[in-house]
Amino acid sequence: MDKIVSLCKRRGFLFQSSEIYGGVQGFWDYGPLGVDLKRNLKEAWWQDMICGHNELKQPAGAPSTYEMVGLDCTIIMHPQVWKNSGHYDLFHDHMVDCRESKKRYRFDQVRGREVTYQDRTIFVSTLAEAEQEEDDIRRRGMKFFKLRNKDADKITVGGESITIDKLDNTDNVLGPDAKTLGTLTEPREFNLMFKTTLGALGGEDDVTFLRPETAQGIFVNFKNVLDSSRVKVPFGIGQVGKSFRNEITPRNFTFRSREFEQMEIEFFCQPDQSQDWYRYWRDRRMNWYLSLGMGSESLIMREHDPEELAHYSVGTADIEYAFPFLPPGEFGELEGIAHRGDFDLRSHMEGKLDPATNPMTVELNEHGKPKYRGSGKDLTYRDEATNQKFIPHVIEPSAGADRGVLAFLCEAYTEDQQPDEKGNLQTRTVMKLHPRLAPVKAAVFPLVKKDGMPEIAQDLYGELKKHFNVFYDDKGAVGRRYRRQDEAGTPYCITIDGDTVSDQTVTIRDRDSLEQIRVKLDDVVDTLTKKIDG
Ligand code: GAP
C-alpha cells in the first residue's frame, strides 16, 4: 500500500487536501492524472448504466426491458428529507474519546491484543495497519512496562486481535495514543451528517445537513421524473455526486473519506418482480467491475445473512475488493446492492416508517402523532396497462467513485522485470489500468529532435488531441519516456522514427505486452479508437 500511496503523490494521482497547511484528515484532492482517472470511471459508469442503456432490448439476465434516466440533485436539501430517510435518528457511529490524548475513535475500529508481563495483563490498542499491528502493540506494551529492546521476549502478545467493542469494559485498555490505562470514555452515539445553517439568521430552524448519500435526491424527485419523462416501471434513475460523512476515523487513504462521490441507481420495479431484479443488478454490477479489468480473484460478492437484513428487504449484497491495507483474505466494501422494498417512497409520502414494525407503520411520537411528517404527496404508481396502483419496490446499486478509483489503482499497480536499453533486467513499475480508465490514452514521442520527426509528431499529437487525452514527450532516452508512461498507466506509446519520414508509418507500443505494431499515420486514430473501446 505504501508504494501505491507514494506513486499516487509522485505522479499526481492524489494529494492530501490543504497539504501545505498540514492537511485535513479525510479529505483528498485529485491531481492532473487522478482527475482524469476519476472522470473516466464516472463516465464509464454513466455510459454503461444510464445513457448507453438500450431500453428496446432485454439484457441477458434481466426479467424484461427497462428504462434508465439521470438526475443531478442538490447537496443541501429540505431538513425533513433526512428525518424521514432515517439519517437524522439512525445514521450514527459509536465513538469513544480518550481523556488523555483528547482524540476520538470509532468504537468498532480500534483493535488490540492482550499483552502480559510477569503476572500483569493489559489490553494494548492501536490504529496501525494490519501488517504493522503486532509490532506496534509489542512496542507500546514494552514502553508501558518500561522494558528495553533486549527484554522484548519477556512480554507475550496475545494471538488474536479484536476490536475494543468486544471487551466487557475499557478499564484495562491502553488507548491508541495514551500512556496510561483506562482513559477511554464509554461509547457515545455520533451522527455522521455534517450540519450547516441556511441563511443569515442561523437559528435552530435553519439547521440542515450536507447529504450523506445521493439516493434521497432521487426518491424525492420520483414523481417529478415520472411526470416529466414518460418513463414506466420498471425503470431506474441514476445520479453521480458528492456525499459527505463526518467519519470519526477517516483512514486507509481515500477508502473512508469525509467528502466523497457516489454513483447510485434507484431502480423502481413491480413488488412481485423485485427479487428477480435484485439478482439481475447484483450480477450486472459485479460483471461491470470485471469488464473494466478487475481480477476475479480480487473481488467477492458477499450476501448479507438473513439476520442482517431489514424484514422488508429480500437481500443485500456487497461487492468487496481485496484492498492491500487489509490482512490477507479480508475484503473491503466497494459497492452495496440493496433491496429496499417500498421503505423510502412510503417514508417520504406518509412520514418516517418504523423499520421494526411488520407491516411497517409510521413511527409515532409521545403524543401518538407521526414523529416526522411525510410530504403528503402521492408517490404511488399507476400501471396504465392493468390500472393497478402500487408503490414500486426499489433495488439500489450504490457505488463509491473514490473507492472505485482506489480499487482500480490497487489492482493496476504492478512491478515486473523488463530489459533496459542495454538489455539488463530492471524492475518496471506499471499501472495496468484498463484503456477506458487510463487518464492518458497515448503518448507521442519523436525518437530524436531532428530530421523532421518533431514536426510529424506534433501534427499527429494535434490530430489525436481532438479525440483523446494524449501526452507529448520529446525529452530524454525513449526507454525512460516509456517508463514514465508505464507509471502513469498510459496504454499506448506512439513513436515517430526515421522510417516514419520515408514511409509515413509509426510504431504503437502496448504497455502490457510490450508488443510493437507498425501503423500508417492516417490509421492511428482508428487503431487507437478500436483498442480503447475494445
Ligand atoms: N444509499 C446507500 C448508501 O449510501 P453506503 O453503503 O453507505 O450506501 C455506498 O454507501 C458506497 O459509498 C459504499 O459502498 C462506498 O463505496 C461509498 N462510501 C460510503 N462511505 C464512504 C466514505 N466514507 N468514503 C468513501 N466512500 C464511501
Side-chain angles (χ1 to χ4, degrees):
M1 195 65 210
D2 289 346
K3 286 183 177 176
I4 296 170
V5 174
S6 129
L7 180 135
C8 282
K9 164 133 205 234
R10 185 160 43 84
R11 295 309 314 270
F13 281 100
L14 277 156
F15 309 124
Q16 197 178 14
S17 165
S18 323
E19 197 189 77
I20 60 166
Y21 288 105
V24 206
Q25 248 203 323
F27 294 89
W28 297 92
D29 295 336
Y30 286 80
L33 286 179
V35 67
D36 275 310
L37 172 58
K38 188 169 164 187
R39 280 176 66 106
N40 292 344
L41 182 70
K42 290 187 290 181
E43 273 165 25
W45 183 91
W46 192 262
Q47 170 64 23
D48 297 348
M49 298 299 124
I50 315 293
C51 65
H53 170 70
N54 180 352
E55 74 283 4
L56 305 177
K57 230 176 125 193
Q58 184 171 348
S64 68
T65 57
Y66 62 92
E67 294 174 81
M68 294 297 291
V69 291
L71 201 62
D72 185 10
C73 309
T74 58
I75 285 168
I76 292 179
M77 300 169 70
H78 195 291
Q80 202 68 11
V81 170
W82 307 113
K83 293 189 171 155
N84 285 322
S85 69
H87 287 84
Y88 188 77
D89 285 346
L90 300 172
F91 193 55
H92 46 62
D93 279 336
H94 285 98
M95 50 99 186
V96 287
D97 288 310
C98 177
R99 284 183 282 259
E100 183 188 311
S101 68
K102 308 287 176 234
K103 293 205 170 155
R104 179 168 285 181
Y105 311 99
R106 233 175 91 169
F107 196 39
D108 60 349
Q109 274 181 357
V110 180
R111 305 183 74 85
R113 300 187 199 202
E114 285 188 341
V115 174
T116 306
Y117 173 58
Q118 294 178 340
D119 55 358
R120 188 163 178 212
T121 297
I122 62 168
F123 187 92
V124 179
S125 67
T126 177
L127 293 176
E129 304 290 346
E131 304 114 57
Q132 287 104 38
E133 188 181 289
E134 186 173 343
D135 287 348
D136 193 55
I137 289 175
R138 184 174 289 281
R139 183 183 57 76
R140 296 189 59 238
M142 285 177 54
K143 211 166 168 188
F144 178 83
F145 288 116
K146 299 195 172 51
L147 295 175
R148 293 164 183 231
N149 281 349
K150 67 180 175 53
D151 298 319
D153 55 357
K154 291 194 176 145
I155 61 168
T156 44
V157 177
E160 207 199 335
S161 102
I162 54 166
T163 47
I164 57 169
D165 57 340
K166 309 276 173 354
L167 302 173
D168 290 339
N169 62 61
T170 55
D171 297 348
N172 203 28
V173 171
L174 184 66
D177 299 284
K179 294 193 182 69
T180 48
L181 294 182
T183 59
L184 299 179
T185 59
E186 284 294 304
R188 279 188 290 143
E189 283 178 357
F190 175 78
N191 195 295
L192 298 186
M193 284 196 294
F194 276 99
K195 249 188 199 173
T196 188
T197 315
L198 294 178
L201 293 177
E204 231 352 80
D205 289 348
D206 304 320
V207 166
T208 187
F209 304 92
L210 305 190
R211 68 179 175 200
E213 60 170 26
T214 61
Q216 297 305 322
I218 299 181
F219 294 126
V220 301
N221 275 296
F222 171 73
K223 193 122 189 68
N224 282 337
V225 172
L226 265 187
D227 293 346
S228 60
S229 63
R230 290 176 34 197
V231 283
K232 291 192 174 59
V233 167
F235 73 95
I237 307 180
Q239 169 162 227
V240 178
K242 291 263 185 183
S243 292
F244 300 81
R245 298 184 188 179
N246 200 359
E247 300 283 355
I248 300 166
T249 40
R251 58 197 299 207
N252 292 330
F253 207 14
T254 59
F255 181 82
R256 196 175 299 288
S257 306
R258 288 175 165 148
E259 175 175 341
F260 55 96
E261 268 183 279
Q262 290 184 306
M263 309 183 290
E264 296 200 288
I265 293 171
E266 305 303 327
F267 188 80
F268 302 94
C269 59
Q270 287 264 8
D272 59 4
Q273 285 191 345
S274 60
Q275 201 149 346
D276 294 339
W277 283 113
Y278 166 68
R279 277 195 292 271
Y280 167 73
W281 278 109
R282 205 193 46 184
D283 300 345
R284 173 94 202 274
R285 293 299 306 144
M286 183 76 168
N287 289 333
W288 187 74
Y289 288 102
L290 298 174
S291 76
L292 287 174
M294 206 50 106
S296 53
E297 64 296 340
S298 325
L299 274 188
I300 55 163
M301 173 80 76
R302 189 181 73 81
E303 284 281 353
H304 288 207
D305 293 334
E307 315 76 81
E308 288 179 76
L309 297 175
H311 64 79
Y312 56 83
S313 168
V314 293
T316 291
D318 288 340
I319 298 176
E320 298 185 338
Y321 178 71
F323 286 99
F325 50 76
L326 297 170
E330 284 191 21
F331 293 78
E333 181 185 330
L334 192 55
E335 168 161 353
I337 299 99
H339 181 292
R340 300 188 55 85
D342 62 2
F343 176 82
D344 305 276
L345 288 179
R346 268 189 69 202
S347 289
H348 286 303
M349 193 160 75
E350 300 170 11
K352 189 198 157 206
L353 298 176
D354 180 355
T357 51
N358 190 6
M360 278 184 295
T361 51
V362 171
E363 196 173 328
L364 302 177
N365 63 18
E366 64 274 25
H367 310 294
K369 296 262 160 45
K371 187 170 179 195
Y372 302 121
R373 259 183 319 104
S375 67
K377 298 282 180 294
D378 182 6
L379 302 182
T380 53
Y381 175 82
R382 184 184 294 281
D383 188 321
E384 278 172 18
T386 60
N387 212 20
Q388 189 200 0
K389 214 174 162 199
F390 61 94
I391 303 174
H393 278 201
V394 169
I395 312 299
E396 177 190 67
S398 170
D402 305 80
R403 245 182 231 185
V405 166
L406 182 60
F408 279 108
L409 281 169
C410 294
E411 186 69 12
Y413 186 93
T414 313
E415 287 177 1
D416 62 14
Q417 297 283 315
Q418 296 299 339
D420 63 12
E421 277 122 34
K422 293 183 190 131
N424 300 324
L425 280 185
Q426 300 285 351
T427 301
R428 169 179 86 135
T429 302
V430 50
M431 296 299 282
K432 293 192 172 177
L433 291 164
H434 189 284
R436 281 182 79 192
L437 300 182
V440 177
K441 305 301 182 200
V444 179
F445 306 154
L447 187 61
V448 288
K449 283 198 248 182
K450 56 182 184 184
D451 301 337
M453 292 180 216
E455 290 77 8
I456 300 176
Q458 284 162 21
D459 282 350
L460 177 63
Y461 175 69
E463 194 49 41
L464 291 175
K465 272 258 160 189
K466 295 178 194 161
H467 306 270
F468 319 101
N469 189 13
V470 283
F471 187 82
Y472 184 82
D473 191 2
D474 60 6
K475 291 177 197 68
V478 78
R480 214 163 304 141
R481 286 183 251 168
Y482 282 147
R483 295 289 177 270
R484 280 188 60 76
Q485 293 309 315
D486 290 343
E487 270 196 346
T490 308
Y492 306 107
C493 289
I494 303 164
T495 306
I496 284 76
D497 55 21
D499 288 346
T500 316
V501 182
S502 55
D503 67 7
Q504 303 291 299
T505 64
V506 295
T507 60
I508 302 184
R509 174 233 195 214
D510 182 288
R511 176 197 66 199
D512 301 342
S513 67
L514 301 180
E515 194 196 350
Q516 302 210 9
I517 53 168
R518 249 194 125 86
V519 173
K520 286 207 179 94
L521 261 175
D522 289 345
D523 293 340
V524 173
V525 170
D526 274 359
T527 308
L528 280 186
T529 306
K530 283 192 195 115
K531 281 179 176 289
I532 292 163
D533 294 340

